[in-house]
Amino acid sequence: MIRATVQRGAPFVLLWLFVGNSVFAWLGNDNVKSKKQKNGQSDYEATGSQDQNCFCHLTGILDDCFCDVESIDIFNNFKIYPSIRKLTERDYFRYYKVNLKRPCPFWPDDSQCSIKDCQVEPCPESKVPVGIKAGNYNKYSQASNTRSDVEECEHAHELGAINSTLSNQSREAFEDWARHDDAQDHFCELDDETSPDAQYVDLLLNPERYTGYKGPSAWRVWNSIYEENCFKPRSVYRPLNPLVPSRGDDDGEGFYNWLEGLCLEKRVFYRLISGLHSSINIHLCAEYLLEEPWSKAHWGANVREFRRRFDPAETKGEGTRRLKNLYFLYLIELRALSKVAPYFERSIINLYTGNVQEDGQTKELLLQIFNEIRAFPMHFDEKSMFAGHKLEAKTLKEEFRLHFKNISRIMDCVGCNKCRVWGKLQTQGLGTALKILFSEKEIQNLQENSPSKGFQLTRQEIVALLNAFGRLSTSIKELHNFRTLLKDQR
């Protein structure tokens, strides 16, 4: 069994709250209008045809919240996507350190994918910026170097940085202390960046796209995630195969019907996993290998594959739900970024690569993105979760955390190395977002908008957080492209 060993918490019936009245007051641009008809339907729904089945019901208010799909489309495609794409191309965010040699902890190794497109393009050590190689933590301003050793020790722990002037013994002690202290807040299994097997991967040289990795190995990964780690009512069991168009349920609703018997937190957990799965599938459909292996490789949009995974007619109605779960996940990570913004706005937090001009431009772009994000009026209210009886809420949150941490460990079972890189990165990004939203230190410090003495993010967490959100932003942008392609085929 791969199920995390946790104790079940009592279900809660909670409300999902959002703040703000209208996204259009925030937009402040009369030229950008919601796709609404006078009858209350979106024009996507009103003009839906058999060729547009993937989108004719992707409209209106999302389940479990009061934010609508159209508002997110406008916000993402016009405000966020252009900037987040530029940010993830900058040096600080393009290099991700990962251990691809960690063994699968749950079943015997079924060998790595032998397809050439599964392999990771190596990143020469000489290409990695010197500031990134020098340490995996945020660097602080030179002004702080005038402090005494004691002050430096305390300040280093506060920022998650270890001053190079400290002795090796002291530095190791602080690192051990920080790792032990943070372990209770981590929602995912982190690679040991000091391991000789850990390597830097240039994400721009290894884009996420379809590699040909499929079959029993890929199916077992997703099946283990859904079957062994997603919450289910105790009295219900239905077979699940998430990689086929229909999951074999006669009513066409499949696993989603189970959610009606779950409390909010457990519904949210499933929707986060489903949203992540949908986002990854959109990336594969948008960057699909269109040429045979013996000819020149060419990647592009595969409309037929997109229909297979998301058309309600081919998924017994589940395709639209899968896409809505993507939007739901987008809101969760969006709120995490909004909440953590004060951490990065402190002048002492620098995105350090060793290139002063590059670093300044990167942080300026990041702060511009945070300003746009915080202006969004329909943010998810994380206080609506784990808000019942304190002991029961604590038990449920720990169960939630361990289930997700278990899923992060399953990423080491992915046989395709390139798929493993992106799976680990996006899982760690979501885990970091959950840490920001639900860790005790976050609740205590960031909600008060005060300097977070106990809270810290490593460089790897920052890189994963922003790249993972960038992947979600790209997915929503790609939905617009697929909508256009389907319309053109009519």
Side-chain angles (χ1 to χ4, degrees):
M1 293 289 287
I2 299 173
R3 190 188 311 276
T5 304
V6 291
Q7 181 180 359
R8 298 281 181 181
F12 296 98
V13 180
L14 302 175
L15 292 177
W16 200 262
L17 301 175
F18 281 84
V19 297
N21 296 318
S22 171
V23 71
F24 306 110
W26 149 75
L27 282 171
N29 184 353
D30 293 336
N31 294 324
V32 182
K33 297 182 179 179
S34 175
K35 302 289 188 176
K36 299 287 185 180
Q37 299 292 331
K38 291 182 179 180
N39 62 2
Q41 290 180 311
S42 73
D43 63 358
Y44 300 138
E45 183 175 0
T47 60
S49 67
Q50 188 166 356
D51 286 333
Q52 293 257 53
N53 276 343
C54 297
F55 296 101
C56 64
H57 297 294
L58 185 62
T59 183
I61 300 298
L62 296 171
D63 299 315
D64 283 325
C65 62
F66 300 115
C67 188
D68 62 280
V69 168
E70 291 82 3
S71 296
I72 297 174
D73 279 336
I74 294 170
F75 170 72
N76 179 74
N77 296 344
F78 288 91
K79 296 283 187 178
I80 294 299
Y81 174 75
S83 297
I84 197 71
R85 181 176 179 180
K86 291 179 182 178
L87 183 73
T88 54
E89 291 176 350
R90 302 197 73 88
D91 283 352
Y92 186 87
F93 291 99
R94 68 182 287 183
Y95 296 101
Y96 178 63
K97 198 168 189 181
V98 61
N99 184 355
L100 297 175
K101 295 183 179 180
R102 287 181 60 172
C104 173
F106 300 115
W107 55 77
D109 184 17
D110 56 1
S111 74
Q112 299 297 305
C113 176
S114 60
I115 302 172
K116 65 177 182 178
D117 293 313
C118 284
Q119 307 309 312
V120 171
E121 185 75 20
C123 178
E125 191 77 12
S126 60
K127 296 291 185 181
V128 180
V130 62
I132 293 177
K133 290 188 293 185
N136 296 317
Y137 299 96
N138 297 314
K139 294 294 180 179
Y140 44 87
S141 65
Q142 291 182 353
S144 66
N145 289 337
T146 61
R147 303 183 181 204
S148 68
D149 286 348
V150 174
E151 289 174 324
E152 288 287 5
C153 292
E154 294 174 348
H155 191 62
H157 180 63
E158 172 186 340
L159 295 177
I162 302 298
N163 191 325
S164 60
T165 62
L166 297 176
S167 68
N168 289 336
Q169 184 177 3
S170 298
R171 183 160 57 249
E172 291 173 1
F174 275 107
E175 288 173 345
D176 289 341
W177 178 22
R179 280 194 293 267
H180 179 270
D181 195 37
D182 283 349
Q184 302 305 311
D185 288 325
H186 284 156
F187 282 76
C188 58
E189 190 83 10
L190 303 178
D191 284 351
D192 180 6
E193 298 175 46
T194 64
S195 168
D197 292 330
Q199 65 183 91
Y200 285 101
V201 174
D202 186 339
L203 299 175
L204 297 187
L205 292 181
N206 295 276
E208 185 182 20
R209 58 192 181 191
Y210 180 75
T211 64
Y213 175 63
K214 57 184 179 180
S217 178
W219 178 87
R220 180 160 55 174
V221 169
W222 283 111
N223 187 66
S224 299
I225 289 172
Y226 283 103
E227 284 285 3
E228 298 291 340
N229 290 281
C230 281
F231 297 98
K232 312 180 192 62
R234 292 187 179 93
S235 60
V236 179
Y237 177 82
R238 294 179 183 178
L240 170 66
N241 184 345
L243 297 185
V244 298
S246 170
R247 293 179 180 151
D249 296 279
D250 294 336
D251 60 10
E253 296 298 322
F255 184 76
Y256 203 86
N257 266 353
W258 298 5
L259 303 186
E260 296 176 2
L262 297 176
C263 66
L264 173 64
E265 290 83 357
K266 294 182 180 182
R267 290 200 311 272
V268 166
F269 189 95
Y270 171 75
R271 298 192 69 192
L272 295 180
I273 302 305
S274 174
L276 178 60
H277 193 182
S278 297
S279 181
I280 291 173
N281 280 338
I282 291 171
H283 304 155
L284 304 187
C285 294
E287 294 290 338
Y288 203 88
L289 183 60
L290 301 178
E291 300 291 341
E292 294 296 329
W294 53 81
S295 61
K296 184 177 180 180
H298 174 64
W299 281 267
N302 187 325
V303 176
R304 181 177 179 181
E305 183 67 17
F306 181 82
R307 278 201 185 107
R308 187 183 76 81
R309 295 175 185 266
F310 297 107
D311 193 320
E314 297 196 37
T315 61
K316 290 191 175 181
E318 287 196 52
T320 302
R321 298 187 191 277
R322 295 172 185 172
L323 293 177
K324 284 191 173 183
N325 289 339
L326 161 66
Y327 283 82
F328 185 82
L329 172 59
Y330 182 92
L331 287 176
I332 295 292
E333 295 200 12
L334 187 74
R335 170 55 184 156
L337 289 173
S338 173
K339 186 176 178 181
V340 82
Y343 177 80
F344 291 95
E345 289 173 343
R346 298 163 62 194
S347 61
I348 203 167
I349 298 295
N350 295 319
L351 305 178
Y352 185 74
T353 67
N355 184 326
V356 176
Q357 183 176 3
E358 166 85 9
D359 296 346
Q361 292 173 350
T362 300
K363 184 168 182 180
E364 181 180 0
L365 179 56
L366 179 62
L367 295 183
Q368 290 174 3
I369 293 172
F370 281 140
N371 287 336
E372 295 287 358
I373 288 174
R374 293 202 291 192
F376 186 69
M378 300 182 185
H379 277 295
F380 156 67
D381 181 8
E382 70 280 3
K383 294 189 294 294
S384 64
M385 292 181 63
F386 310 112
H389 185 276
K390 287 186 177 181
L391 180 59
E392 293 176 336
K394 184 177 181 179
T395 300
L396 181 58
K397 184 162 68 172
E398 181 65 4
E399 188 177 2
F400 190 103
R401 185 183 73 87
L402 291 179
H403 273 254
F404 190 84
K405 191 170 184 177
N406 221 39
I407 289 175
S408 73
R409 298 175 69 201
I410 295 176
M411 291 298 108
D412 284 318
C413 300
V414 177
C416 165
N417 272 346
K418 190 173 292 183
C419 306
R420 184 184 294 201
V421 167
W422 286 101
K424 288 169 76 74
L425 182 144
Q426 290 172 85
T427 302
Q428 185 178 359
L430 176 53
T432 303
L434 296 175
K435 170 183 173 180
I436 292 167
L437 292 176
F438 300 122
S439 75
E440 294 300 327
K441 284 183 290 188
E442 267 308 85
I443 293 173
Q444 180 180 356
N445 293 311
L446 290 184
Q447 282 185 348
E448 298 173 356
N449 198 28
S450 62
S452 45
K453 295 182 179 180
F455 174 70
Q456 59 178 338
L457 290 177
T458 67
R459 179 185 171 274
Q460 289 299 94
E461 289 177 307
I462 296 171
V463 171
L465 176 68
L466 272 299
N467 271 285
F469 181 70
R471 293 280 77 203
L472 298 178
S473 178
T474 299
S475 293
I476 291 177
K477 178 64 175 178
E478 290 293 352
L479 287 182
H480 173 77
N481 297 336
F482 275 113
R483 192 193 305 273
T484 301
L485 291 172
L486 289 166
K487 185 177 181 180
D488 292 343
Q489 287 187 357
R490 286 189 300 170

